Amino acid sequence: MTLLYASVVIDVDSTLCGIEGIDFLADRRGGDVGARVAALTARAMRGEVELQSVYGDRLAIVRPSADDVAALADEYRESLAPGASDAISAMRKAGARLILISGGVRQAIAPLARALGFADRDVFAVSIAFDTKGNYESYDRSSPLATQRGKPEVVERLIADRRLIRPILAVGDGATDVPLRSVADTFAAYVGFARRTSVVAHADLEIASFAELEHAVLGPTNR
């Protein structure tokens, strides 16, 4: 089978899964925490502010515990996009190289990623640290994924290491995904959960489901 794209870079929050992880964690705090953090997330995803200007602030407000992150891991599994598992399996079977890339919490994303057949080395997200009682301590401030343009940096490194090969399709829903257009051959705006006009305006394709993603990679008649 001839792949239309040899590599596929997939965002997680509001793309692979129908939630924004940090907003889920904030909602667990009650009060106005959820609304405060959701407003910051929305501004970053629309591109109104740089991600790095709100990333640490959101975590400092929420201070997610190890138990909170475990609950988020469960929620990621529950909110998996319809058809995602089958599409990922089909693309992988056809020989496409797949990675997950996210500014979300790595410890919460990893269990779902493993269930979908991703090796840990193919999952890129931001690790957070807990103390011995499972309370929040900090996050990996050195991670490029806590910044607005960090995703292309990760993808460029993978291309240099030959872990991703061209042509590359990158798919995501938010402003932090748009910079992937500079390193991928095609950037697709995923609108299955949230349609952000500013993201769609910069996209080469608009994709509303994982069935459509599969067709974009394999062609409409192949599976």
Side-chain angles (χ1 to χ4, degrees):
M1 178 184 296
T2 301
L3 291 167
L4 301 182
Y5 295 96
S7 303
V8 186
V9 176
I10 305 171
D11 174 48
V12 177
D13 290 24
S14 296
T15 299
L16 180 65
C17 302
I19 60 169
E20 290 291 333
I22 189 65
D23 294 348
F24 170 86
L25 292 170
D27 284 340
R28 287 172 62 87
R29 288 289 169 268
D32 68 345
V33 172
R36 289 165 59 198
V37 170
L40 291 173
T41 301
R43 293 189 68 199
M45 291 304 99
R46 290 194 300 264
E48 296 173 4
V49 296
E50 298 278 285
L51 179 64
Q52 59 267 27
S53 72
V54 301
Y55 198 96
D57 291 343
R58 295 184 307 176
L59 284 172
I61 292 169
V62 177
R63 300 190 63 81
S65 68
D67 287 343
D68 293 326
V69 170
L72 175 56
D74 291 339
E75 191 67 17
Y76 273 129
R77 286 190 288 264
E78 291 295 322
S79 65
L80 181 66
S85 181
D86 288 343
I88 287 169
S89 178
M91 290 186 288
R92 186 179 287 123
K93 183 177 180 181
R97 300 186 182 188
L98 309 178
I99 69 162
L100 297 181
I101 190 164
S102 174
V105 178
R106 180 179 179 86
Q107 292 98 319
I109 293 169
L112 172 62
R114 293 178 191 125
L116 292 172
F118 287 90
D120 287 351
R121 70 193 296 266
D122 293 328
V123 180
F124 299 87
V126 182
S127 295
I128 62 176
F130 307 101
D131 64 18
T132 56
K133 296 182 178 179
N135 298 311
Y136 173 77
E137 279 195 332
S138 63
Y139 69 96
D140 180 5
R141 297 177 185 275
S142 69
S143 174
L145 295 174
T147 69
Q148 189 75 15
R149 294 173 179 82
K151 290 182 178 181
E153 181 179 330
V154 173
V155 170
E156 284 179 334
R157 186 173 72 243
L158 294 174
I159 293 171
D161 292 344
R162 304 275 312 159
R163 290 177 57 189
L164 291 177
I165 57 176
R166 296 190 183 277
I168 299 168
L169 172 63
V171 56
D173 69 286
T176 58
D177 301 303
V178 172
L180 286 167
R181 193 176 187 217
S182 67
V183 292
D185 298 278
T186 301
F187 171 65
Y190 188 82
V191 298
F193 293 116
R195 190 180 194 277
R196 297 182 171 96
T197 303
S198 59
V199 176
V200 173
H202 290 91
D204 303 297
L205 298 175
E206 185 174 329
I207 290 177
S209 70
F210 268 75
E212 289 184 18
L213 175 59
E214 179 184 336
H215 294 163
V217 175
L218 306 185
T221 60
N222 295 313
R223 186 174 178 119

